[in-house]
Amino acid sequence: MDSGTDFCTGFVTEIAKARNQDEFTDFTLTCGPDRFPVHKLVICTQSKVFRAACTGQFKEASTGELDMPEDDPAMVARMVEYLYSGKYEAAEVAETWISPEPETPLGDASSGVTIPETQRLTPIRIHARMFALADKYDIRGLQLHASEQYEKLATTIRAHQLLDSIPDVYDLTPESVRRLRDKAVMAARLAPEGELDHALGNPTLRKKTARATADMFRAVGERNPEFLKDLVASYIVVSSVRNCNYCAAIGKPQLQPMKATDYRCVTCGETTSKSSLQKRYAPRR
């Protein structure tokens, strides 16, 4: 480790220590009874929203406080943790914060797979919510970090756990923000061992987990029809998902979307390359 790295590590550590001890803090983020003393230098250099609040013609600039009544205090605590360290804790926790707009539970109570909004907050849901919070306050680094953590986790968990995060992805960000939506859609296609395809393609399945996954998929589709539209569109744009040894060698998920290079005729079984078709039917000049 060189001296430059030592300096940066030490500087970040000392700044975080100063915040924890409430030393030299000059601004406060508030969520109901929760208060988070921070340094303007730290938050304003990473968020255009915070910069405007601290330097613009707003009451926050004079009061030295920014009230965040619509945000989950636990998520704001993670956001502050990221602003000071470049990471945040994402261990599964019991949900203790109720959104101002109550959400509909996923699943069908009669099938025994209802998942109340307040039951649990899994790591993948934490990443989805952190992405939304980063989008709201324009913290680009946090957006990137949360989306990368979401993608990494989404390809290793069970399909029903992934589906549990879809409302967070689609309800908390505008349609124009595509990064996490695109990752969620592709993750659904890359579900381990084709779990989602298996559950949806066999309506008479007897396994409780498969039935629960199928029921949950329908519940998510009813609540977030945009997810279904995006899922269908992804199959039109990229029809195939296959193993990629190169991606596996560099540490990425082995299953990756692929573009077709050959076409097989359903009637005769003959294969024709995509390039030959393009040449054959290219417009003549």
Side-chain angles (χ1 to χ4, degrees):
M1 186 178 292
D2 58 31
S3 59
T5 302
D6 286 339
F7 172 79
C8 291
T9 301
F11 181 75
V12 169
T13 300
E14 290 303 316
I15 289 291
K17 185 186 298 184
R19 181 185 70 83
N20 292 332
Q21 297 176 355
D22 199 11
E23 292 181 337
F24 315 117
T25 55
D26 51 5
F27 200 75
T28 303
L29 305 176
T30 64
C31 294
D34 295 275
R35 298 173 62 83
F36 303 94
V38 293
H39 301 89
K40 290 181 182 179
L41 179 64
V42 172
I43 67 172
C44 293
T45 53
Q46 299 181 73
S47 165
K48 294 180 181 179
V49 174
F50 292 150
R51 184 183 183 88
C54 291
T55 62
Q57 302 297 318
F58 303 102
K59 68 175 183 178
E60 290 82 5
S62 58
T63 63
E65 291 189 2
L66 175 64
D67 191 23
M68 308 162 75
E70 298 179 353
D71 299 315
D72 179 354
M75 293 299 158
V76 173
R78 291 185 178 92
M79 178 192 72
V80 172
E81 180 185 357
Y82 171 83
L83 291 173
Y84 278 84
S85 68
K87 58 186 179 181
Y88 56 81
E89 176 63 45
E92 181 170 341
V93 295
E95 174 69 282
T96 58
W97 178 78
I98 306 298
S99 168
E101 297 181 5
E103 300 178 356
T104 304
L106 294 178
D108 178 4
S110 62
S111 68
V113 295
T114 300
I115 301 179
E117 169 63 19
T118 56
Q119 182 176 344
R120 69 184 188 279
L121 196 57
T122 56
I124 194 164
R125 294 188 65 196
I126 290 175
H127 294 316
R129 292 190 177 193
M130 290 304 295
F131 178 88
L133 194 64
D135 177 67
K136 180 177 181 180
Y137 292 104
D138 199 6
I139 308 174
R140 301 297 176 85
L142 178 55
Q143 265 191 308
L144 180 61
H145 179 72
S147 65
E148 288 177 345
Q149 295 304 308
Y150 181 96
E151 182 179 32
K152 184 185 301 183
L153 190 58
T155 55
T156 63
I157 59 178
R158 301 293 298 274
H160 71 274
Q161 295 172 310
L162 172 65
L163 291 172
D164 193 28
S165 73
I166 297 301
D168 291 308
V169 174
Y170 277 78
D171 291 347
L172 301 180
T173 56
E175 186 177 358
S176 59
V177 180
R178 297 296 320 171
R179 180 188 292 272
L180 203 62
R181 295 188 181 203
D182 292 342
K183 292 184 184 300
V185 166
M186 192 52 63
R189 294 183 57 178
L190 297 174
E193 299 179 0
E195 185 181 5
L196 189 56
D197 292 341
H198 180 63
L200 297 176
N202 295 270
T204 59
L205 283 175
R206 295 180 180 179
K207 283 189 176 181
K208 184 177 180 180
T209 54
R211 290 202 311 272
T213 298
D215 289 342
M216 196 170 186
F217 180 84
R218 285 189 287 270
V220 168
E222 291 176 0
R223 174 169 169 171
N224 300 105
E226 298 88 355
F227 168 65
L228 297 185
K229 294 178 183 177
D230 289 343
L231 188 60
V232 171
S234 78
Y235 277 97
I236 295 174
V237 176
V238 180
S239 59
S240 181
V241 176
R242 294 288 186 271
N243 286 330
C244 177
N245 293 330
Y246 178 76
C247 282
I250 60 176
K252 293 185 177 181
Q254 188 172 18
L255 278 172
Q256 292 291 339
M258 300 283 183
K259 290 186 177 181
T261 57
D262 296 314
Y263 295 99
R264 182 180 296 277
C265 176
V266 176
T267 302
C268 69
E270 288 297 319
T271 300
T272 305
S273 69
K274 185 175 181 180
S275 59
S276 66
L277 285 175
Q278 290 174 335
K279 291 178 181 179
R280 182 182 303 175
Y281 297 106
R284 295 182 181 276
R285 295 182 179 180

